[in-house]
Amino acid sequence: MKNTLVYLWFISILLSCGKDEEVSSSANQNSHIEYFGFTLIDTYWDDPTDAESKTNYADEIHNFSNIADILVVNSNDNLSQRIQNFADLDLKAILHLNELFFELIDTNSLSGSNYDLRPDYEARWNEFKAINLSILNTNSIGALYIGEEPTWNGITFTELNAVSQLLKKDFPDIPSMIIEAYPSLSDLQIPETIDWIGFDRYFVKNPTINGEFQKDWELLKSKISSPRQKIMVILDSHFIDWAHGDFGNIDLIDMGEVADNYYELAKSDEKVVGILGYFWPNGFDIPESIGARGMPERIKSEYQRIGKEITGKNN
């Protein structure tokens, strides 16, 4: 009996060591990934699939996320309470600043929505900055998101550079970020003052082996203009039945696997600073779209698992 107990004790030690090695290996693989979160968290979007009037979903993601977005519309927007709500949930904000700096002019762009830099962009920024100075710091802000798919939407390098230099001059420690649409990557020029870059390409089951995605991935990295620039991976966390089916041969039940594959992509490159899921609530882009919020529970569990591994939020 004594020998049996000793044997069982020895086996348990070996198994425990094996588990510790697995945890340590996973931690080493993702140690360069600092952030995990979702978009459309505080952007005035009310999920049309429920009866609740709600436009802030921070309480639904904070247990496994550490970053989420806040939309800025006007130069006199006061973000103090919205930022405090995030801080109470241990979330940093990505501020959408497109509307602050750019205005829709016409349809003469690849996307059909052509934006120009506002003539009074500096005055608008100075007003916004004065109102929100107390929260414009690295404790509260994860990144300043300058333009929505800038090249795709007609924003020139000169315009993008002017804004990025302005932000870097005033807040050099807060990262600035741009995310480009994949069809415009070949024309993208990245100002040296931009800190985080990324691109969006959806309806791909496994970006680590998909040839078109990998070409875009390498093209994005070839556009890096400063060695300190890092990559934000845009996770496909929404589902459109006909689009995911026709373009990616992806069923709803596959979206957990899709998330795992994007995570593997992020772990494979030391340049990656975070993963941002597009998007959380339902019904955005088109009414029948399913956001991460509306996914089956086992798929949401995958988002939670990945997020907790990255953020360390293991409650």
Side-chain angles (χ1 to χ4, degrees):
M1 180 67 176
K2 183 177 179 181
N3 288 339
T4 301
L5 290 174
V6 170
Y7 173 77
L8 291 174
W9 172 81
F10 181 68
I11 291 296
S12 70
I13 292 295
L14 289 178
L15 291 174
S16 176
C17 289
K19 289 179 181 177
D20 289 343
E21 287 177 3
E22 288 178 9
V23 171
S24 176
S25 175
S26 177
N28 288 337
Q29 287 178 338
N30 72 9
S31 60
H32 59 282
I33 309 174
E34 299 178 38
Y35 297 103
F36 181 86
F38 290 87
T39 61
L40 299 185
I41 299 304
D42 185 5
T43 61
Y44 304 110
W45 182 257
D46 187 357
D47 189 329
T49 64
D50 62 26
E52 184 180 11
S53 178
K54 182 175 185 176
T55 59
N56 186 333
Y57 307 93
D59 62 318
E60 298 179 2
I61 68 161
H62 74 99
N63 283 333
F64 56 97
S65 301
N66 58 5
I67 201 164
D69 57 346
I70 289 178
L71 176 62
V72 176
V73 177
N74 301 304
S75 59
N76 61 355
D77 284 358
N78 188 326
L79 303 185
S80 57
Q81 188 55 57
R82 296 166 74 184
I83 292 293
Q84 187 59 54
N85 291 341
F86 270 38
D88 291 343
L89 296 172
D90 193 21
L91 289 170
K92 285 189 177 184
I94 293 176
L95 299 186
H96 284 262
L97 299 176
N98 189 73
E99 301 301 319
L100 193 65
F101 293 114
F102 303 99
E103 59 184 341
L104 183 63
I105 300 298
D106 52 44
T107 60
N108 297 323
S109 71
L110 291 173
S111 70
S113 299
N114 186 34
Y115 284 84
D116 279 1
L117 185 63
R118 294 176 182 268
D120 59 345
Y121 77 95
E122 288 188 80
R124 288 172 62 83
W125 169 246
N126 287 332
E127 181 182 10
F128 176 80
K129 180 178 64 174
I131 293 171
N132 294 285
L133 192 59
S134 65
I135 57 92
L136 288 171
N137 56 68
T138 55
N139 291 326
S140 302
I141 310 299
L144 301 172
Y145 184 32
I146 297 178
E148 305 279 356
E149 300 173 328
T151 312
W152 178 244
N153 285 310
I155 298 172
T156 67
F157 171 78
T158 301
E159 293 172 326
L160 197 60
N161 191 47
V163 173
S164 66
Q165 287 187 351
L166 179 64
L167 297 183
K168 189 57 65 178
K169 175 177 67 71
D170 287 344
F171 299 102
D173 296 329
I174 301 179
S176 56
M177 181 177 76
I178 59 170
I179 304 297
E180 188 56 83
Y182 80 88
S184 291
L185 283 174
S186 58
D187 297 319
L188 172 65
Q189 291 179 275
I190 303 173
E192 292 183 3
T193 44
I194 296 292
D195 299 289
W196 299 352
I197 62 174
F199 73 95
D200 46 37
R201 183 173 193 135
Y202 307 116
F203 322 127
V204 174
K205 182 177 283 188
N206 190 344
T208 66
I209 61 173
N210 181 278
E212 292 182 336
F213 191 100
Q214 281 297 308
K215 286 180 182 177
D216 292 337
W217 182 254
E218 294 303 320
L219 182 55
L220 177 76
K221 292 198 290 184
S222 75
K223 298 288 183 173
I224 289 174
S225 57
S226 169
R228 60 177 179 73
Q229 288 170 344
K230 296 183 179 181
I231 297 173
M232 179 64 75
V233 169
I234 304 303
L235 163 68
D236 185 356
S237 65
H238 74 302
F239 183 80
I240 301 170
D241 188 42
W242 62 267
H244 281 79
D246 291 349
F247 299 134
N249 194 28
I250 301 169
D251 293 322
L252 182 61
I253 59 172
D254 297 326
M255 293 306 292
E257 179 186 348
V258 170
D260 292 340
N261 292 335
Y262 271 89
Y263 187 27
E264 290 304 313
L265 174 75
K267 288 192 289 187
S268 73
D269 198 310
E270 294 285 334
K271 275 284 185 183
V272 172
V273 70
I275 301 174
L276 198 58
Y278 180 85
F279 41 75
W280 181 256
N282 302 300
F284 193 71
D285 287 337
I286 60 174
E288 60 266 32
S289 64
I290 300 172
R293 186 183 197 231
M295 296 285 179
E297 286 302 321
R298 81 175 191 185
I299 295 170
K300 288 199 283 188
S301 294
E302 276 304 289
Y303 297 141
Q304 293 167 14
R305 180 189 68 81
I306 294 168
K308 287 179 179 181
E309 280 191 12
I310 292 171
T311 65
K313 294 185 175 183
N314 292 315
N315 294 333

